[in-house]
Amino acid sequence: MNNRGSSAERSLRLADRAGSAERLTRRHFLAQAALAGVALSAGPALADDMIKLPLAGEPRERPVTNDFPQKGSMILQRTRPPLLETPLEVFDRGVFTPNERFYVRWHWAVIPTSVDVSAFRLAVRGHVNQVLSLSLDELARMPRVELAAVNQCSGNSRGLFMPRVAGAQWAHGAMGNARWTGVRLKDVLDRAGVKAGAIAVRFDGLDEPVVPDAPDFKKSLLIDHARDGEVMIAYAMNGEQLPLLNGFPLRLIVPGWYSTYWVKMLSDIEVLDRPDDNYWMTTAYTIPDTPYASITPGQTGVKMVPINRMVPRSFITNIETGASIHVGAGTIVRGIAFGGDAGVSKVEFSADGGMSWREARLGRDYGKYSFRQWETDLSLSQAGSHTLMARCTNAQNVVQPSTANWNNSGFMRNVVEPTQVRAI
């Protein structure tokens, strides 16, 4: 994890204990009792509550649901386990995704419907000097930190892969950006005392497999990454407690990495003195060890590695494909971008399908792992069809590609996405 620790203090800062009202206070955090009897299933949406997604194949329509706890209007990709997608229009409203519109993705359907905060304990064990069983009260007493970071599903935009691949057919809404509040993982590990020879740290949550012989969902990080000072354990997002479906009471935050590592309902931390060979690290969530994790459909014999760092992406958020724009009328085009595991250096805009580009204006920088808004002016001089595009370059000079990648899992799409409009 080269040079990750050197930027920790720039990206992850101590939160002001006497700070603004938007931050979750310790008293408020501990005062919240269990979320008892919360239903995690939703009935079919009404026939007229449907949305058409820009997917590569049919069916393109999905129900829109308001039936999940602590969630507003969401695109229903799957009921059990819950897979809820954020409508793209939400990203046009600001840099931070509201908690009630933040996407949801679980692997197993056995999810606790309540958590007793007074009885909950976070275990820290394995290759350590002292086994810990930390209450939420004890965690709340530790130095508090805050970080703005994008959480993005590895399969975000999988529904645009051609040829089609198996898995949830997400459009672009399996992502979100939040201010995460909690404690450094490093501080928790240091409290336990990591023994010499530690290789990795493995994380487990309260969710369980639906059948006894299915592999429990666990993820791990190499020890240097886990202790880099940026990885954190969050108990709040956007100044409020984590919603149940987004991991209440604790969630691992791995900035710049795909959300498969952001273990929800975190309850167990195990320091390993050996490589982690569990299913979710060696078989699931692996990608071709090739540029852009891309291979040719049907290609075999490719070396696979665990998915890891995110790559830069950008989206137009205020104009949809199929929109009409008046010839000669001044229009503002805006959107969001993120650099993956590095900050946004620039966003470029094209109104002619990528033949020419110009830099857009960047909004406020909330940190290298956050969404960043951008905007530019547009005036179309000729009637007819036009292709609008946005392209992000990150601080490591990694640029979004013009050609889509492909792999069997539908992971890591970050091609420049076109928005087709008509000038009238």
Side-chain angles (χ1 to χ4, degrees), residues 65-369:
T65 180
N66 291 277
D67 295 335
F68 284 81
Q70 301 173 293
K71 291 295 173 182
S73 181
M74 301 291 289
I75 300 168
L76 180 61
Q77 289 283 3
R78 187 181 301 160
T79 298
R80 185 175 173 85
L83 270 65
L84 308 178
E85 180 168 349
T86 302
L88 192 62
E89 60 163 12
V90 173
F91 303 123
D92 191 51
R93 300 177 185 176
V95 168
F96 296 104
T97 312
N99 292 1
E100 66 271 16
R101 309 297 297 279
F102 209 98
Y103 89 101
V104 172
R105 195 268 189 266
W106 289 84
H107 295 85
W108 295 124
V110 182
I111 305 167
T113 58
S114 64
V115 177
D116 183 348
V117 297
S118 63
F120 177 86
R121 296 294 184 271
L122 174 64
V124 185
R125 59 190 180 87
H127 199 62
V128 296
N129 294 323
Q130 180 181 356
V131 174
L132 302 178
S133 179
L134 298 172
S135 68
L136 295 175
D137 191 4
E138 290 175 292
L139 287 168
R141 292 178 187 275
M142 295 181 66
R144 185 186 304 182
V145 292
E146 184 178 272
L147 174 74
V150 173
N151 175 292
Q152 180 185 209
C153 179
S154 309
N156 192 25
S157 311
R158 180 186 287 121
L160 282 73
F161 269 61
M162 286 294 291
R164 180 171 173 160
V165 297
Q169 298 300 296
W170 300 106
H172 300 313
M175 64 178 184
N177 185 46
R179 287 187 178 99
W180 307 95
T181 304
V183 299
R184 290 185 182 92
L185 175 62
K186 180 183 185 299
D187 292 345
V188 172
L189 293 174
D190 286 351
R191 189 164 175 172
V194 175
K195 291 182 178 180
I199 291 176
V201 184
R202 184 161 62 192
F203 309 91
D204 193 8
L206 295 176
D207 55 321
E208 298 177 2
V210 293
V211 292
D213 59 346
D216 189 15
F217 183 76
K218 299 179 181 181
K219 298 294 294 190
S220 64
L221 301 172
L222 294 178
I223 188 66
D224 288 346
H225 187 180
R227 301 184 73 248
D228 70 358
E230 290 189 330
V231 179
M232 62 183 286
I233 300 169
Y235 46 71
M237 58 188 290
N238 293 326
E240 301 175 351
Q241 282 188 334
L242 294 164
L244 183 75
L245 287 173
N246 293 114
F248 178 86
L250 299 174
R251 180 170 197 169
L252 191 70
I253 307 300
V254 188
W257 283 45
Y258 286 96
S259 71
T260 179
Y261 293 94
W262 296 43
V263 174
K264 296 183 288 297
M265 292 188 174
L266 178 67
S267 60
D268 184 83
I269 298 173
E270 181 182 6
V271 179
L272 305 176
D273 60 357
R274 64 191 186 282
D276 188 0
D277 60 358
N278 95 82
Y279 169 82
W280 297 100
M281 290 298 300
T282 60
T283 303
Y285 286 101
T286 57
I287 56 173
D289 189 16
T290 61
Y292 303 105
S294 191
I295 60 175
T296 302
Q299 185 177 349
T300 60
V302 180
K303 178 185 177 182
M304 304 293 285
V305 296
I307 196 169
N308 46 81
R309 294 175 173 86
M310 292 195 298
V311 285
R313 302 196 76 178
S314 58
F315 300 91
I316 296 170
T317 57
N318 71 322
I319 298 176
E320 297 181 355
T321 285
S324 295
I325 298 175
H326 290 285
V327 171
T331 302
I332 295 291
V333 183
R334 62 177 177 267
I336 55 168
F338 59 100
D341 69 338
V344 174
S345 174
K346 65 179 178 180
V347 174
E348 297 168 286
F349 175 77
S350 174
D352 55 15
M355 291 187 292
S356 64
W357 297 89
R358 66 173 184 271
E359 281 198 45
R361 300 181 293 272
L362 294 178
R364 178 177 169 182
D365 186 354
Y366 288 91
K368 66 180 182 179
Y369 299 119

